[in-house]
Amino acid sequence: MIIVLHNTVEDADKQHIKEYLESRGLKVREIVGDKETVLGAVGPVSLDIRQVELLPGVAQVIPISKPYKLASRELKKEDTVFDVGPVTIGGNRVCVIAGPCAVESREQIIEAALAVKKAGAVILRGGAFKPRTSPYAFQGLGEEGCKYLKEAGELTGMPVVTEIVSPSDADMMKEYVDMFQIGARNMQNFELLKKVGSLGMPVLLKRGLSATIQEWLMAAEYLMSSGTDKVILCERGIRTFETMTRNTLDLSAVPVVQKLSHLPVIVDPSHGTGLRNKVLPMALAGVAAGANGLTIEVHPDPENASSDGPQSLYPEQFEKLMCDLETLSPVVGKEISRLPDKRHLALAEEVKTHSAAKGKETVPKAAFQGIHGAYSELAAKTYFSGSEVEAVAVPHFSDIFRNVLSGDADWGIVPLENSVAGSILENYDLLNRYVDLGIVGEIKVRIRHNLMAVPGTKLENIKKVYSHPQALSQCSDYLEKEGMESVSFFDTAGAASHVAEAADTTIAAVAGADAAGYYGLEILAEGIETNPHNYTRFAVIARKDMISPDKSVDKASLVFSVADEAGSLSSCLSVFSEYGLNMKKLESRPIHGKPWSYMFYIDLDIPEDRSVFDQAVEKIKTLTEDFRILGLYHS
Ligand code: PEP
Ligand code: MN
């Protein structure tokens, strides 16, 4: 059963509820969500739910109707997102696991690791124990293979996953691996599931050769009820009458499972097809079907692989696959997972500095303009994901700057340009005005508009649609086709909140998916913008005295004015070409109080050799007036 707790539940009451359930033979899991905390109680005994409803702190008790409970969406509505080492799995990320079928030697796995890492994989795979159909086939290097895999992972900064075939290997293997794989042949090896689950580590659970989706979810239930909540489901093809491919990759399982379970689902097109030339199209199809990731067999020399050579990609084929995924992912509202780069490491340091300056009790804050559910809040959450930073809403852009200057906020998230609508000029002026603030980072967010309304609203009954005029115009094809009238509102999240308050089933709002969650609206149509290549770039600003110098930055934002004479701007720009600096953007703004004079804002790539940039800056300073570096940061 699911026990929904009151928002205001006391710790002592919560503890009492848990003890009440556990003393009656139930296993209890606490799930803390954004809006509510629930307890999942599972076990062989069933209780009269009315008894539980009467306990102090309980808001509601809901029986679970599915045979799998901890894995079920009935228990947990939000997608499960967890980390495997530095890699976050689930939600809107596409995580790519790659490597050879088997670890064959130290050199082979290191070569494979370097190749897949270079192309963009984030987790390294490689079997050390190979469950082969023939007892005479290569069985894997065992513990030695685990050692080489770990070494290759450490060398490349990738966490590693490998298959476990026997419960007796678990304690040895946990020293080497970041995630266990349960192979298709062992999906219903319940003793193995119980042992691996009890370690509490991430597990990649392959679907059995002939397993139904329900049997697969029951296997996940074994893992979860034994002690882990970090399970990835992997569709790897099932046995059918078809013989043209090694297995039949059941891609419809992806959306089916995502409806039934909150667990991340990935696709294995290598075992799913058994044929190298079918891997790329089926990998793309897997992501298009909504998968949270892929596992791909890649071998430096597939012709001579000890196992699964015919389905292993050459490293060049894998590179092509990663490029195609890069293009496809945003179209389906996803982002390719990356290993933390210099920017993330620098950011973690920055957050630590701000937390220390504030004292332990207060969480550092990032101010954004708008109300909760706005795209700016999504930008703040994405930029600071993984760090404890609170996003605070302020009414105007200028409030962001004021709050950061006064120290009420540690950072500000400022939209600078949209790839469809262009620059947000007010913010360029504010950047120039607040000389004690600087840019410390940037984040690009895909703008994906959704049509949302109060639950129960029928699409065909919607007459009016509220949103920011820009969002409405970006969705005009859809709205016209559906015969809906556009009504301008001051912002997208504000429109969502208005529609929720009005509780009228003939109106809807266009806003980001988070706004639907905040205001209890239902999404009736996703991604309704005409052009899916719609991104907004935000600058992250902080007080200059809080910015720690970082030599590994790769982007600079500058602002200056030039004398009112022939060739003055072009002589500055030629300094950039003279030093081989790549200019990313040029924007000009009128200088207030000085009619027909302009400030020029320039973004540049900083090359690996930082001294080139420093020399160019010295030269530019001599050619300009009011020269200022707005920020040096990681792009
Ligand atoms: C593997 O990943 O190498 C493997 C043996 O997979 P499966 O269990 O899906 O056959
Ligand atoms: Mn294999």
Side-chain angles (χ1 to χ4, degrees):
M1 66 181 78
I2 300 164
I3 299 112
V4 183
L5 302 180
H6 282 299
N7 286 343
T8 51
V9 65
E10 303 273 333
D11 278 350
D13 285 340
K14 190 164 35 173
Q15 197 50 35
H16 175 241
I17 302 166
K18 283 187 189 169
E19 282 164 11
Y20 178 92
L21 298 165
E22 279 165 357
S23 67
R24 283 159 180 79
L26 292 162
K27 279 190 181 164
V28 182
R29 274 296 169 78
E30 181 173 340
I31 297 153
V32 182
D34 269 355
K35 277 182 248 82
E36 58 187 21
T37 297
V38 304
L39 299 177
V42 291
V45 277
S46 61
L47 289 185
D48 184 338
I49 63 169
R50 289 171 303 175
Q51 297 276 26
V52 184
E53 255 163 358
L54 290 171
L55 298 174
V58 173
Q60 200 190 357
V61 180
I62 309 162
I64 304 179
S65 55
K66 298 276 193 305
Y68 43 89
K69 301 186 187 299
L70 298 172
S72 141
R73 263 225 201 261
E74 290 182 356
L75 176 71
K76 183 167 180 270
K77 291 196 187 61
E78 306 111 65
D79 288 348
T80 282
V81 175
F82 58 84
D83 290 343
V84 177
V87 178
T88 305
I89 313 265
N92 66 352
R93 295 170 196 79
V94 175
C95 149
V96 180
I97 303 170
C101 178
V103 179
E104 296 165 12
S105 68
R106 181 173 174 272
E107 292 67 34
Q108 173 253 14
I109 189 67
I110 289 178
E111 192 179 345
L114 290 168
V116 299
K117 158 83 188 278
K118 181 163 157 264
V122 287
I123 298 181
L124 178 65
R125 60 150 289 147
F129 295 92
K130 296 306 302 175
R132 307 299 298 278
T133 307
S134 162
Y136 309 116
F138 175 64
Q139 303 285 308
L141 297 183
E143 182 169 359
E144 193 188 352
C146 293
K147 273 190 198 153
Y148 297 152
L149 182 68
K150 181 177 161 80
E151 185 185 346
E154 281 173 352
L155 184 76
T156 49
M158 285 186 285
V160 298
V161 56
T162 196
E163 178 169 356
I164 179 164
V165 294
S166 162
S168 62
D169 291 329
D171 292 318
M172 173 275 289
M173 289 176 75
K174 73 174 194 296
E175 304 304 323
Y176 298 109
V177 305
D178 301 283
M179 174 156 67
F180 283 99
Q181 176 171 317
I182 302 284
R185 288 153 198 83
N186 274 313
M187 189 203 83
Q188 284 189 318
N189 181 340
F190 300 119
E191 291 311 309
L192 183 64
L193 295 173
K194 283 195 253 178
K195 174 68 195 178
V196 172
S198 74
L199 300 175
M201 289 171 63
V203 185
L204 192 161
L205 176 65
K206 296 262 192 128
R207 181 177 180 184
L209 301 170
S210 303
T212 63
I213 288 174
Q214 178 148 318
E215 286 163 342
W216 186 19
L217 290 171
M218 289 308 288
E221 193 73 15
Y222 260 97
L223 289 167
M224 298 181 83
S225 62
S226 307
T228 183
D229 43 18
K230 303 184 184 87
V231 177
I232 304 176
L233 298 163
C234 176
E235 164 59 44
R236 48 78 72 203
I238 47 173
R239 272 291 158 83
T240 67
F241 49 80
E242 184 53 70
T243 54
M244 289 291 178
T245 47
R246 180 176 173 185
N247 290 294
T248 298
L249 187 61
D250 178 13
L251 284 185
S252 59
V254 175
V256 170
V257 167
Q258 283 173 334
K259 182 132 201 279
L260 298 173
S261 175
H262 51 85
L263 295 171
V265 188
I266 69 164
V267 168
D268 173 353
S270 307
H271 294 87
T273 63
L275 298 163
R276 186 181 302 134
N277 61 0
K278 308 282 182 292
V279 170
L280 184 130
M282 296 317 285
L284 297 179
V287 171
N292 302 102
L294 297 166
T295 176
I296 310 280
E297 286 188 342
V298 183
H299 196 289
D301 180 13
E303 305 302 326
N304 294 304
S306 307
S307 66
D308 286 348
Q311 69 191 35
S312 298
L313 297 188
Y314 289 92
E316 311 80 79
Q317 290 179 307
F318 181 63
E319 271 177 39
K320 159 94 173 77
L321 167 60
M322 291 304 297
C323 287
D324 287 0
L325 285 175
E326 193 81 49
T327 311
L328 171 68
S329 301
V331 178
V332 291
K334 292 234 159 66
E335 206 178 307
I336 300 267
S337 285
R338 289 176 210 291
L339 286 169
D341 52 16
K342 286 181 185 157
R343 174 173 88 80
H344 284 92
L345 297 174
L347 176 68
E349 278 306 306
E350 195 98 332
V351 173
K352 253 198 252 156
T353 315
H354 284 251
S355 302
K358 294 225 125 181
K360 276 222 162 61
E361 317 74 58
T362 30
V363 174
K365 295 187 174 63
F368 68 92
Q369 185 273 330
I371 62 170
H372 287 295
Y375 290 108
S376 289
E377 184 178 23
L378 174 65
K381 286 191 169 164
T382 312
Y383 185 79
F384 291 107
S385 67
S387 307
E388 214 190 332
V389 172
E390 185 192 346
V392 282
V394 298
H396 305 107
F397 289 135
S398 55
D399 297 321
I400 304 179
F401 288 79
R402 261 197 298 279
N403 274 263
V404 176
L405 188 65
S406 68
D408 285 346
D410 299 75
W411 296 275
I413 304 290
V414 183
L416 287 183
E417 65 176 319
N418 175 269
S419 59
V420 180
S423 294
I424 294 120
L425 300 172
E426 178 183 349
N427 286 332
Y428 278 90
D429 294 343
L430 287 163
L431 278 176
N432 191 28
R433 175 134 65 88
Y434 281 81
V435 290
D436 293 322
L437 306 184
I439 301 177
V440 292
E442 69 171 5
I443 173 97
K444 298 181 190 94
V445 167
R446 165 138 189 247
I447 304 298
R448 195 156 193 258
H449 295 310
N450 303 283
L451 186 76
M452 54 192 70
V454 287
T457 301
K458 294 215 168 54
L459 200 60
E460 60 272 22
N461 294 344
I462 297 172
K463 304 245 168 332
K464 289 186 177 173
V465 177
Y466 292 76
S467 196
H468 188 279
Q470 233 167 51
L472 291 170
S473 84
Q474 288 170 2
C475 302
S476 58
D477 284 3
Y478 176 88
L479 298 175
E480 274 166 32
K481 182 172 74 72
E482 297 291 334
M484 297 170 182
E485 184 194 337
S486 301
V487 185
S488 291
F489 213 80
F490 63 90
D491 74 4
T492 54
S497 138
H498 170 75
V499 166
E501 271 170 31
D504 174 348
T505 55
T506 66
I507 63 170
V510 170
D514 284 1
Y518 267 112
Y519 303 110
L521 298 179
E522 194 179 323
I523 295 183
L524 298 178
E526 286 178 52
I528 59 169
E529 64 276 7
T530 309
N531 180 353
H533 298 284
N534 183 351
Y535 296 86
T536 297
R537 187 168 69 89
F538 295 80
V540 183
I541 58 165
R543 254 179 32 217
K544 280 205 173 140
D545 57 352
M546 293 300 290
I547 302 175
S548 33
D550 177 354
K551 280 280 171 197
S552 67
V553 290
D554 61 7
K555 194 162 175 190
S557 293
L558 320 172
V559 61
F560 55 76
S561 60
V562 290
D564 185 11
E565 61 193 35
S568 57
L569 178 61
S570 98
S571 61
C572 290
L573 299 185
S574 40
V575 174
F576 300 138
S577 65
E578 185 188 327
Y579 283 85
L581 298 177
N582 182 27
M583 197 166 86
K584 306 293 279 186
K585 175 154 170 100
L586 171 63
E587 182 71 58
S588 70
R589 293 289 302 144
I591 301 177
H592 298 185
K594 228 173 149 189
W596 324 126
S597 320
Y598 302 89
M599 295 303 293
F600 296 99
Y601 293 75
I602 287 179
D603 289 343
L604 291 170
D605 281 337
I606 301 178
E608 286 270 326
D609 181 0
R610 169 72 181 266
S611 64
V612 174
F613 171 78
D614 292 338
Q615 287 163 30
V617 163
E618 286 314 311
K619 187 142 183 199
I620 298 265
K621 279 183 185 166
T622 64
L623 301 169
T624 56
E625 294 164 9
D626 302 322
F627 176 91
R628 199 152 71 78
I629 294 185
L630 291 171
L632 304 175
Y633 50 94
H634 293 278
S635 59

